[in-house]
Amino acid sequence: MKFAEDFIFGGATAAYQCEGSTRAYGKGAVSWDEFLEEKGRFQANPASDFYHQYPVDLKLCKMFGVNGIRISISWARIFPDGTGAINQQGIDYYHDVFKECRKNGVEPFVTLHHFDTPIGLYKNGDFLSNDTIDAFVKYAAFCFEEYKDEVTYWFTFNEIWAVATNQYIEGTFPYGEKYNVTKAFQAMHNMMLAHAKAVLVYKEKNYEGKIGVVQSLEYKYPFNELKIEDIQAAKNEDVLQNQFLLDATFLGEYSCETLEIANKLASLQGGKIIIRDEDLEVMRKAAKVNDYLGMNYYQSRFIQAYDGENDIFHNGTGEKGTSRFRLQGVGERMEKDGIDRTDWDWLIHPESMFDMLLRIKLQYPNYKEIYITENGMGYKDDFEDGIIDDTPRIDYVRRHLYYLLKAVESGVNVKGYFIWSLMDMFSWTNGYNKRYGLFYIDYESQKRYPKASAYWYKRISQTKELE
Ligand code: BGP
């Protein structure tokens, strides 16, 4: 099994997590600034200082066979208030970054929204408000035109599910609200509408590049596959995280099964999801012209039925075994014998990535192309005199790439893989002890050090063969 010659061996980043300079060079405030300040655990400055260090990072890409980079544009650098006046310094900055990408032979894959809504729009309801949808489409249109000569590959949003669940169910993203399944569904629908509108703008202007959306998917298995209640619980979670968004992406509407389960879950709390016919009209058109799916894939879940009190605890410290996720009427996430976990309790289950890829091919045969836009392992790397031996990360990535190749062999059109992350950076709910990078960052000096995984990744990228 070999990778295709044009396969992208990428590295992923996100503006807020790596740039630093969060309130400098004309950038407006975003939802996270105040939220992190109030929590007082950690903040995103200087993070990996990508704002200044990008020439170093792109040179490392070139040296280590990384031929694609996921970058997100910070909306508030372009429109400090989310809409209205522009910030020329921010606009020029991304021109410079994209030029540097070209100089190093690294293809930029650019996301417009990676969790960082400008604060004014956030305070006005974020994507639960139509104003944010309109402002997003204007911002997207501006970027398409501004960067049309430099960017070929666009993504509208990163991980619509993560935004919705962390804002409204798990409470780990701003606003920090918990257990509100209805708001989560509504935010997902509204973001998919914003995505669809942006896709149509892009296509109407006949730009030469491609556009899609990044979804975070997790295969949901019943904990006991012989128990009808567990099968139903797994289906609930699947609709909540996967099927609602996959339907919206590829069908531009929701199947009867999806709607039935989504409405049932919302009604448990007396809520109602509002989906207007005119939304679906736009979404159906966009689904037809959507060029690819970005799939972020880290883990699977084993779900059992649960009717007790809501009880979610996020392990944001790396203290293994402390996570809990029990959502009344939806399900409870279980550990599974024989499946190892990271220190943050993420199940290491690479064959489930194969199952998800195959499922997309079968359930949504119009999907066109898939990029694995994120996959990687959070790990407490040891730094010993410049040597970083991250064998468990190599093992994690190797096993996922193996199942990726198997999926390709089974006819799934996977065009590339982006390791999360290119270099170590800020982690939204975990801070800095959860490292993912191919390159270790000493946050004091901002020096970069290639980990063992970087040398390994380079060999795979050069030989196109999995060792
Ligand atoms: C994804 C996000 C990334 C990144 C990654 C790892 O959900 O798109 O931005 O953070 O997960 O997650 P974490 O940092 O929580 O471990």
Side-chain angles (χ1 to χ4, degrees):
M1 288 197 296
K2 271 193 109 171
F3 293 95
E5 276 309 311
D6 62 352
F7 193 83
I8 297 284
F9 286 92
T13 73
Y16 198 73
Q17 293 178 269
C18 69
E19 283 178 1
S21 305
T22 57
R23 296 307 313 281
Y25 309 111
K27 182 176 189 260
V30 303
S31 54
W32 283 88
D33 298 339
E34 271 183 19
F35 184 77
L36 292 175
E37 217 170 284
E38 274 163 27
K39 293 244 172 248
R41 277 183 73 199
F42 34 69
Q43 42 98 29
N45 269 317
S48 330
D49 193 29
F50 187 74
Y51 194 89
H52 302 106
Q53 307 282 338
Y54 69 88
V56 178
D57 291 319
L58 287 162
K59 194 157 168 229
L60 283 170
C61 285
K62 185 177 177 185
M63 285 167 65
F64 281 83
V66 177
N67 59 359
I69 184 170
R70 269 192 75 204
I71 285 172
S72 79
I73 294 180
S74 164
W75 184 347
R77 276 198 203 287
I78 308 289
F79 291 99
D81 299 322
T83 186
I86 51 168
N87 168 35
Q88 195 57 45
Q89 243 181 322
I91 295 168
D92 294 345
Y93 167 68
Y94 291 108
H95 277 301
D96 292 345
V97 172
F98 298 143
K99 277 193 203 113
E100 198 70 20
C101 287
R102 296 277 167 233
K103 202 171 109 192
N104 287 284
V106 182
E107 184 68 46
F109 287 69
V110 181
T111 307
L112 291 165
H113 182 277
H114 196 127
F115 302 166
D116 51 353
T117 304
I119 197 148
L121 294 166
Y122 162 75
K123 289 206 165 158
N124 184 40
D126 210 347
F127 279 92
L128 292 178
S129 157
N130 287 330
D131 295 345
T132 311
I133 301 179
D134 293 344
F136 175 77
V137 178
K138 281 191 196 140
Y139 153 62
F142 180 90
C143 291
F144 296 152
E145 183 60 27
E146 182 69 30
Y147 300 115
K148 63 175 185 279
D149 298 330
E150 288 146 350
V151 177
T152 309
Y153 299 93
W154 290 99
F155 292 105
T156 50
F157 287 98
N158 177 69
E159 296 198 348
I160 289 178
W161 158 250
V163 173
T165 186
N166 291 322
Q167 283 190 330
Y168 302 116
I169 297 179
E170 300 192 43
T172 50
F173 281 17
Y175 312 84
E177 198 171 329
K178 279 182 121 176
Y179 311 130
N180 196 328
V181 172
T182 309
K183 276 194 186 171
F185 272 119
Q186 194 64 55
M188 289 195 284
H189 170 70
N190 291 8
M191 290 174 83
M192 284 309 298
L193 177 62
H195 155 77
K197 288 186 171 183
V199 167
L200 293 182
V201 167
Y202 191 72
K203 293 296 175 183
E204 274 153 20
K205 293 267 174 123
N206 281 318
Y207 293 119
E208 274 178 17
K210 294 185 169 191
I211 188 162
V213 60
V214 174
Q215 306 289 12
S216 55
L217 305 178
E218 291 174 349
Y219 210 100
K220 313 286 186 181
Y221 302 96
F223 180 64
N224 179 344
E225 57 200 22
L226 300 176
K227 256 177 110 177
I228 190 84
E229 295 85 351
D230 288 9
I231 295 172
Q232 189 54 55
K235 192 73 212 178
N236 288 342
E237 260 235 38
D238 181 71
V239 166
L240 186 53
Q241 175 167 358
N242 305 317
Q243 195 167 289
F244 189 80
L245 291 167
L246 289 172
D247 278 4
T249 307
F250 294 122
L251 311 177
E253 60 189 17
Y254 306 101
S255 70
C256 295
E257 181 190 55
T258 302
L259 270 188
E260 196 185 307
I261 294 176
N263 286 329
K264 179 191 79 182
L265 299 183
S267 70
L268 288 176
Q269 304 170 328
K272 194 169 161 25
I273 313 161
I274 297 167
I275 298 168
R276 298 169 306 185
D277 285 345
E278 66 247 48
D279 300 350
L280 296 174
E281 235 171 80
V282 175
M283 286 164 59
R284 280 191 206 105
K285 277 193 208 150
K288 290 204 184 83
V289 293
N290 193 58
D291 291 302
Y292 42 56
L293 173 73
M295 170 168 144
N296 289 0
Y297 202 88
Y298 289 91
Q299 61 170 331
S300 63
R301 306 283 189 184
F302 290 83
I303 321 285
Q304 75 173 14
Y306 183 73
D307 279 314
E309 291 292 297
N310 288 322
D311 176 24
I312 294 180
F313 181 80
H314 170 67
N315 167 2
T317 55
E319 210 181 306
K320 204 168 177 170
T322 54
S323 301
R324 294 189 306 278
F325 187 100
R326 302 177 180 130
L327 203 50
Q328 192 174 43
V330 178
E332 172 176 8
R333 296 177 182 170
M334 306 294 291
E335 290 171 17
K336 188 82 178 164
D337 285 348
I339 298 187
D340 199 8
R341 289 166 294 142
T342 69
D343 285 342
W344 291 263
D345 298 319
W346 293 28
L347 297 188
I348 303 177
H349 191 208
E351 49 270 56
S352 70
M353 187 167 95
F354 174 84
D355 289 350
M356 185 55 81
L357 287 167
L358 260 285
R359 177 224 181 141
I360 291 169
K361 174 174 150 40
L362 294 174
Q363 196 173 344
Y364 305 98
N366 66 330
Y367 74 92
K368 297 185 192 146
E369 298 177 341
I370 298 176
Y371 287 88
I372 300 297
T373 34
E374 281 181 35
N375 173 253
M377 185 183 178
Y379 186 62
K380 296 168 191 160
D381 287 296
D382 283 326
F383 180 89
E384 278 165 29
D385 295 333
I387 309 280
I388 305 105
D389 175 4
D390 58 345
T391 305
R393 179 176 293 114
I394 295 175
D395 189 54
Y396 177 101
V397 175
R398 177 193 286 115
R399 291 167 63 202
H400 282 84
L401 286 175
Y402 170 79
Y403 281 103
L404 184 159
L405 281 175
K406 271 193 79 128
V408 171
E409 218 179 41
S410 307
V412 187
N413 191 15
V414 187
K415 304 285 289 177
Y417 173 93
F418 293 77
I419 190 168
W420 183 269
S421 47
L422 179 63
M423 64 287 199
D424 293 338
M425 61 185 72
F426 169 69
S427 166
W428 307 95
T429 61
N430 313 281
Y432 292 94
N433 78 333
K434 192 178 192 186
R435 292 174 181 264
Y436 280 94
L438 288 176
F439 302 102
Y440 184 94
I441 296 207
D442 172 351
Y443 289 108
E444 296 257 303
S445 66
Q446 287 296 338
K447 265 194 82 172
R448 275 79 171 135
Y449 299 85
K451 302 181 190 175
S453 56
Y455 293 100
W456 176 81
Y457 202 63
K458 179 179 180 175
R459 283 201 304 277
I460 310 291
S461 163
Q462 281 175 340
T463 61
K464 314 279 180 235
E465 255 174 276
L466 196 56
E467 295 171 14

